[in-house]
Amino acid sequence: MDLNLVAQRILRRHWAVILLLVLLGVSVPVALHRMQEPSYEASARFTIGSWDTRDAQESSGLADTALALATSPEAVGRALGQAGIARDPVAVIEVVQVAPVGTSGVLELTATDPDPTAAATITNALAAEVVRARDEAILGDTRAAIAGIDGQIAALSQEITRIEDTADATVARLRSVEALALRHAEAVEQRTRLENQRQQLVTILSTTEAPRIIDGSATSGLPVPTALVTRLAIGGLLGLVLGVALAATLESWRPTLTGPGIAHHLGAPLLDRLPRPPKHDTELQDPWLTNYLTLAADAAGVRSVKLVPVGPEVDVSGLAGQLDGHDDGGLRVTSFYLEGDASRDAARSSRPGTGIVAVVPDVVKGTSVFERLERHVELARQPVIGVLTYRGRWRRGITRSAPRHLALTADEAAADRVPADPAP
């Protein structure tokens, strides 16, 4: 089957089904868009201890770490409590995202909320909570060690002061301070060691990049851009695909045949398309039709032609009379009907040498209408040499019986017989 013909059958005959599914595919995103509440998003930028990263993989690793901290139920609950906003922590976790800014160590946390102010407040609170947790993880031990050393240094300083006071009193009384001097030296040496340790920790603390908020100044969220246009395009495309698939399925089940399709199905050329169904008094409007019919008969090697209506009951006798050239020594054209006792007698008595021209509506739904004609062609050995279509449509349920006044009599059937070719 010609692909162009198939495409025409699918698109021209089922355009309403395709259009309906396209509109349905477009209407679904529109309905979902109207049902959704407006959403706002806010973002804050921060670092979690590393400004420079070597590659995108390392940046993504930092973002994953920050996301894990930002979406922990404990952190979300603490951030919501500090922000004074009543939200379901589980719902907040679902709308939080963390992504690296390029391949740097700067991260951007984004959260969405139906309230623009709440979106900004939640974002800033979560960013602060992530920075606090990360700072505690990186520098908490160092700060705790410095605080411990400061306490020890303070205690030693008090001990040294006490020793010095005791030494002064002992010197004034006994004039001997050797033991106190030794204790004083040990305390001073120990304090010096602690001060050196503290200095090392302070140096480490000062050279370590501390997590901090870079940009948390948002006070109101921005509207989240909707993907309505994209969804409309996808919905329309899906509707088109489903519509074409459904139309192709319908055509496979009951194909819609037009003039070229009918001719292709019967394996014969399309001779002409009549403007209206033929009647008893139909006059020939195309003078070239006689020539086309003669050429088709010569190509098929037949000496006479029968016009056979297929589908609704139409009277082709007038058209046959207009095309008949037997009296002038030309091609003999008669009418023939596949219904009625006389027609069955004529079919049984038919001989090879006669061709059939099917007279069919120009739109036929399904191929069952051709069953009787195809059976006659097979049994009578009379080929279909051409197709004539007329404006009309045949559907299942329309009678195919020929009018009673059109049934051939036994004499007409005998006269319509074509003798077989003489034996050589």
Side-chain angles (χ1 to χ4, degrees):
M1 179 67 72
D2 188 3
L3 294 180
N4 292 330
L5 185 58
V6 173
Q8 290 181 7
R9 284 167 46 189
I10 293 176
L11 299 179
R12 293 181 59 182
R13 298 300 170 184
H14 299 281
W15 63 268
V17 175
I18 298 175
L19 179 61
L20 178 62
L21 288 178
V22 170
L23 293 178
L24 181 61
V26 172
S27 63
V28 171
V30 174
L32 292 177
H33 176 71
R34 292 182 176 273
M35 293 172 60
Q36 286 182 339
E37 295 182 357
S39 183
Y40 300 87
E41 68 176 8
S43 47
R45 293 188 177 185
F46 58 93
T47 63
I48 59 172
S50 178
W51 275 94
D52 298 325
T53 54
R54 289 172 294 182
D55 50 29
Q57 184 176 1
E58 189 173 345
S59 299
S60 299
L62 290 177
D64 293 339
T65 302
L67 180 62
L69 294 173
T71 55
S72 64
E74 181 181 357
V76 173
R78 188 162 42 246
L80 292 176
Q82 293 175 356
I85 297 177
R87 292 288 187 275
D88 183 9
V90 177
V92 174
I93 290 174
E94 295 178 353
V95 297
V96 174
Q97 296 180 352
V98 178
V101 180
T103 58
S104 67
V106 179
L107 306 178
E108 185 174 68
L109 185 146
T110 304
T112 60
D113 193 85
D115 185 354
T117 303
T121 305
I122 293 173
T123 299
N124 293 332
L126 284 175
E129 181 62 25
V130 171
V131 168
R132 185 203 65 77
R134 186 65 175 177
D135 182 84
E136 182 68 22
I138 295 177
L139 303 176
D141 293 340
T142 304
R143 291 196 181 100
I146 292 175
I149 291 175
D150 287 341
Q152 294 179 26
I153 292 175
L156 286 173
S157 296
Q158 292 178 0
E159 179 67 17
I160 291 171
T161 302
R162 187 182 64 80
I163 292 173
E164 289 175 348
D165 293 341
T166 303
D168 291 340
T170 303
V171 170
R173 189 176 72 252
L174 301 176
R175 305 287 182 176
S176 177
V177 293
E178 289 80 3
L180 291 176
L182 181 59
R183 290 176 57 190
H184 181 271
E186 291 177 352
V188 170
E189 183 181 0
Q190 187 175 2
R191 186 177 65 176
T192 301
R193 286 198 303 268
L194 291 176
E195 287 177 348
N196 291 334
Q197 292 180 10
R198 184 183 187 280
Q199 185 61 37
Q200 292 176 0
L201 292 176
V202 170
T203 302
I204 294 174
L205 189 63
S206 62
T207 56
T208 301
E209 181 64 36
R212 65 187 181 92
I213 299 291
I214 295 177
D215 182 10
S217 60
T219 59
S220 178
L222 300 176
V224 177
T226 61
L228 181 60
V229 176
T230 303
R231 293 176 180 175
L232 289 175
I234 295 176
L237 181 60
L238 289 177
L240 178 62
V241 172
L242 291 177
V244 173
L246 180 59
T249 302
L250 293 176
E251 278 298 311
S252 299
W253 179 41
R254 289 189 63 198
T256 301
L257 301 180
T258 57
I262 295 171
H264 187 277
H265 178 76
L266 294 177
L270 179 62
L271 301 178
D272 196 6
R273 182 176 183 273
L274 306 177
R276 61 184 61 86
K279 298 181 179 179
H280 181 70
D281 56 351
T282 296
E283 295 183 0
L284 187 62
Q285 297 184 356
D286 186 0
W288 288 93
L289 181 56
T290 303
N291 295 334
Y292 296 154
L293 187 60
T294 302
L295 292 175
D298 292 342
V302 298
R303 300 189 303 275
S304 64
V305 174
K306 296 180 179 180
L307 301 186
V308 180
V310 179
E313 53 183 35
V314 292
D315 188 351
V316 296
S317 59
L319 181 61
Q322 294 288 327
L323 296 173
D324 184 29
H326 179 69
D327 294 340
D328 299 330
L331 184 67
R332 181 180 183 183
V333 181
T334 58
S335 58
F336 182 81
Y337 301 90
L338 298 174
E339 299 289 344
D341 295 337
S343 297
R344 284 192 290 269
D345 294 337
R348 285 193 295 267
S349 61
S350 296
R351 295 290 186 271
T354 299
I356 293 177
V357 173
V359 183
V360 194
D362 57 5
V363 178
V364 174
K365 192 66 176 176
T367 59
S368 59
V369 66
F370 302 109
E371 293 177 355
R372 190 183 298 274
L373 175 63
E374 292 170 345
R375 185 164 59 249
H376 173 81
V377 169
E378 181 180 1
L379 296 177
R381 292 182 296 169
Q382 295 178 343
V384 178
I385 66 170
V387 176
L388 288 175
T389 63
Y390 57 87
R391 185 185 298 275
R393 179 185 292 267
W394 182 87
R395 294 182 181 274
R396 186 175 297 177
I398 300 179
T399 178
R400 296 179 297 173
S401 300
R404 294 184 63 183
H405 71 277
L406 296 179
L408 296 176
T409 64
D411 294 338
E412 291 173 336
D416 191 47
R417 299 173 188 169
V418 179
D421 294 335

